[in-house]
């Protein structure tokens, strides 16, 4: 069993419980055999996301629902990239391919389609986590 200190920490933001459930089930406990287990922390509101990061910004990845209401993931991604010196990488879930340009504006490191692609999402998450754990 992996020690809690060895787990990779992912912060998941969505106002929709079904989206959070789908992400949790898609990622499981381990996204790749070469990476430690993941530990998922969920928040449902923009203010809760900011409070969580204020208390501890030591996450390896933040996954944000771009369609969340009233605070969308794109605007929050832009905000946390400005406000947190060591901001973790951000993956945005987008429902419309046309929103890819906005995701770029938000400075997210990756975008992923919603509904969730059960093969693509774990692969993207694993890639971002590998970069996060090898970054100086």
């Amino acid at each position: 069993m992996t020690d809690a200190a060895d787990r990779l920490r992912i912060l998941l933001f969505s106002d929709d419980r079904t989206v959070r459930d789908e992400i949790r089930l898609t990622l499981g406990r381990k996204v790749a055999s070469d990476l430690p287990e993941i530990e998922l922390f969920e928040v449902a509101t923009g203010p809760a996301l900011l409070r969580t990061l204020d208390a501890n910004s030591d996450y390896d990845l933040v996954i944000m629902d771009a369609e969340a209401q009233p605070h969308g993931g794109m605007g929050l991604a832009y905000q946390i990239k400005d406000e947190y010196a060591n901001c973790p990488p951000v993956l945005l879930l987008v429902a419309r391919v046309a929103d890819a340009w906005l995701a770029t504006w938000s400075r997210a490191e990756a975008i992923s389609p919603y509904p969730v692609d059960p093969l693509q999402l774990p692969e993207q998450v694993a890639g971002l986590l590998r970069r996060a754990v090898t970054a100086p």
Side-chain angles (χ1 to χ4, degrees), residues 8-119:
L8 296 169
R9 297 166 43 96
I10 299 174
L11 181 58
L12 170 59
F13 160 68
S14 178
D15 66 326
D16 186 334
R17 178 184 307 235
T18 60
V19 171
R20 295 192 311 270
D21 290 345
E22 187 175 359
I23 299 301
R24 187 177 357 86
L25 292 171
T26 299
L27 295 181
R29 290 183 6 204
K30 201 168 169 87
V31 292
S33 61
D34 63 321
L35 291 170
E37 286 185 7
I38 62 170
E39 189 172 5
L40 206 60
F41 299 87
E42 300 178 24
V43 293
T45 67
L49 172 79
L50 298 175
R51 280 192 307 273
T52 301
L53 288 171
D54 284 344
N56 181 3
S57 63
D58 191 25
Y59 291 92
D60 299 292
L61 177 65
V62 179
I63 299 174
M64 297 181 153
D65 180 355
E67 309 304 317
Q69 295 296 324
H71 302 98
M74 289 188 214
L76 284 168
Y78 187 86
Q79 181 178 351
I80 68 171
K81 290 293 184 175
D82 268 354
E83 293 180 4
Y84 297 90
N86 294 316
C87 185
V90 172
L91 182 143
L92 276 173
L93 300 169
V94 295
R96 294 173 301 277
V97 175
D99 287 339
W101 72 271
L102 236 172
T104 302
W105 164 84
S106 73
R107 296 181 276 170
E109 281 75 9
I111 61 168
S112 192
Y114 189 83
V116 171
D117 180 325
L119 299 175

